[in-house]
Amino acid sequence: MTQVCSVYSQLLQLFPRGQFAQVVKQHRAEFNAKGFTCWEQFVAMLFCQVAHLNSLREVCLGLAGCESPLKHLGISTAPKKSTLAYANANRPWELYESIFMQLLEKCQAETATRSRRKFRFKNKLMSLDGSIIELSATMFDWAKYRQRKGAIKLHLLLDHDGYLPSFAVVTDGKYSELKVARGLCLEAGTILAIDRGYNDYVWFGQLTRDGVFFVTRMKTNTVYTTVEVCAVPEKSNVLSDQIVSLPALDKDGEAPVLFRRIEYWNADKQEILVFFTNLLHLAASTVAAIYKERWAVELFFENPTWCTPSYVICFQKANSWNLLAVGCCPSIVGRGIAPLPI
């Protein structure tokens, strides 16, 4: 008879117990702990994320009501609600940051052998976007957003080699996405796909001078000067292709910073899309395909592993790293997991 581990047990195999114990010792996360270990806390909160539970009570009852003993998960008994709440509030968040970094490194190595590049160019392709996560204004008074509604904003930089997060930061709901974007340090040659919410032509000029490429949608009120009109392929969706400059960025004694304005017919939505980029060497159709690929970051936000209610995880730093770890898991556990109960 073939013996197969449960689905959740196989998921936990992504986190070697030896490495986990070393990180716990490094951060002294179990200092003065009385029985409830960091591994038990991690198993409980990971179960909360994967099972989409609504409260700590459901986490404890869910583990207690499992069909089989919990020893195969590395825990003896289901935790009490008060014990789990205390651990979430007092354990160092740096522990889960280190665990996430270990998992991210493993995911990157795994996806590097599986993923197939969609484009011929060798540049690193990334997408940047932010997502609002609504919170209760009475429970989270620090999450300023509206008068009667609280919220935080998750800013995520997605690497398209494996579709894994390369950078993530959680701010209050009112924090500007552009402030986060301006603080990024991207390698020269990187292609950044962003939406119109990141339109800042001074920042675009700085990216161009740093050798970083971008693709976005152009605002309708943008003032530009046409420098050159490029030829458009026949029987294509490209309507126009222009090399332009922005008078607002012109400086005396310096050569103007050149950009590219592309009008593209979107047959699916029956509309004209105007792209703005500093990619002067790629085909116009490739630029349109790069922007379409930006939708991957939207799909990443819609991943069900991000849907745990706010009052369970409280969006403290420790659980924010836990969220990112769970978001990485689907990229390397999609194959070879047997559909058995937990």
Side-chain angles (χ1 to χ4, degrees):
M1 180 174 129
T2 303
Q3 295 182 354
V4 183
C5 298
S6 68
V7 174
Y8 193 45
S9 178
Q10 293 175 78
L11 185 64
L12 289 174
Q13 291 176 10
L14 297 174
F15 308 92
R17 293 290 299 276
Q19 294 182 7
F20 192 94
Q22 291 178 1
V23 177
V24 170
K25 185 177 181 180
Q26 175 186 347
H27 296 288
R28 303 185 66 191
E30 293 181 356
F31 181 73
N32 286 336
K34 297 179 180 179
F36 188 61
T37 65
C38 289
W39 177 258
E40 292 175 316
Q41 178 197 7
F42 177 71
V43 169
M45 295 310 297
L46 192 66
F47 176 68
C48 170
Q49 298 292 336
V50 174
H52 308 154
L53 301 181
N54 295 323
S55 65
L56 293 180
R57 187 185 305 277
E58 288 189 10
V59 175
C60 300
L61 293 178
L63 289 173
C66 291
E67 297 179 2
S68 58
L70 301 176
K71 291 184 179 179
H72 70 290
L73 302 179
I75 61 178
S76 55
T77 59
K80 302 296 182 181
K81 176 185 173 183
S82 58
T83 303
L84 184 57
Y86 182 83
N88 287 345
N90 294 278
R91 294 276 167 86
W93 60 268
E94 292 87 354
L95 166 66
Y96 295 99
E97 180 185 16
S98 301
I99 296 300
F100 167 73
M101 291 302 178
Q102 291 180 357
L103 178 62
L104 180 61
E105 183 178 351
K106 182 182 298 185
C107 291
Q108 289 173 338
E110 183 74 15
T111 56
T113 60
R114 290 186 183 180
S115 60
R116 297 180 179 178
R117 299 184 65 92
K118 293 185 177 181
F119 301 97
R120 293 182 179 179
F121 56 77
K122 303 299 182 181
N123 305 67
K124 173 74 72 175
L125 177 58
M126 293 186 169
S127 296
L128 178 65
D129 202 3
S131 179
I132 292 291
I133 304 174
E134 295 185 356
L135 302 175
S136 170
T138 56
M139 296 179 63
F140 305 94
D141 54 353
W142 51 267
K144 304 297 182 183
Y145 185 52
R146 295 177 183 172
Q147 185 175 1
R148 297 185 179 181
K149 185 179 295 185
I152 61 172
K153 185 179 291 186
L154 175 64
H155 309 263
L156 186 76
L157 182 65
L158 187 70
D159 188 347
H160 287 244
D161 290 339
Y163 299 99
L164 295 172
S166 177
F167 168 85
V169 61
V170 178
T171 65
D172 61 76
K174 289 186 176 181
Y175 199 83
S176 172
E177 297 176 0
L178 268 174
K179 289 184 179 180
V180 175
R182 294 191 191 106
L184 293 177
C185 295
L186 301 174
E187 296 182 1
T190 301
I191 300 177
L192 185 64
I194 49 181
D195 60 19
R196 278 186 292 192
Y198 291 92
N199 268 231
D200 181 357
Y201 298 115
V202 176
W203 179 51
F204 289 163
Q206 184 61 46
L207 289 178
T208 304
R209 285 186 285 269
D210 293 340
V212 178
F213 303 105
F214 68 89
V215 177
T216 186
R217 294 271 300 279
M218 193 175 194
K219 289 188 174 181
T220 56
N221 60 350
T222 302
V223 178
Y224 63 91
T225 301
T226 302
V227 177
E228 179 184 351
V229 177
C230 303
V232 175
E234 296 182 0
K235 298 181 180 180
S236 70
N237 291 340
V238 180
L239 303 181
S240 69
D241 189 357
Q242 301 170 309
I243 305 298
V244 301
S245 64
L246 303 179
L249 299 182
D250 292 344
K251 295 182 180 179
D252 295 337
E254 295 184 7
V257 181
L258 299 180
F259 300 98
R260 196 172 176 188
R261 181 182 182 274
I262 299 172
E263 292 186 7
Y264 187 85
W265 173 250
N266 185 357
D268 295 335
K269 295 186 177 180
Q270 297 292 303
E271 63 179 356
I272 298 176
L273 303 178
V274 181
F275 298 115
F276 188 73
T277 180
N278 58 353
L279 284 167
L280 306 182
H281 59 287
L282 295 181
S285 57
T286 303
V287 173
I290 290 174
Y291 187 82
K292 183 178 181 180
E293 184 68 9
R294 189 198 68 83
W295 188 249
V297 71
E298 304 287 353
L299 297 178
F300 190 89
F301 284 131
E302 293 179 3
N303 190 308
T305 53
W306 295 89
C307 298
T308 300
S310 58
Y311 58 85
V312 177
I313 61 174
C314 298
F315 289 99
Q316 298 175 359
K317 287 185 176 179
N319 292 307
S320 297
W321 286 110
N322 192 20
L323 252 177
L324 289 174
V326 178
C328 281
C329 289
S331 64
I332 58 175
V333 298
R335 305 176 183 178
I337 288 187
L340 295 179
I342 186 169

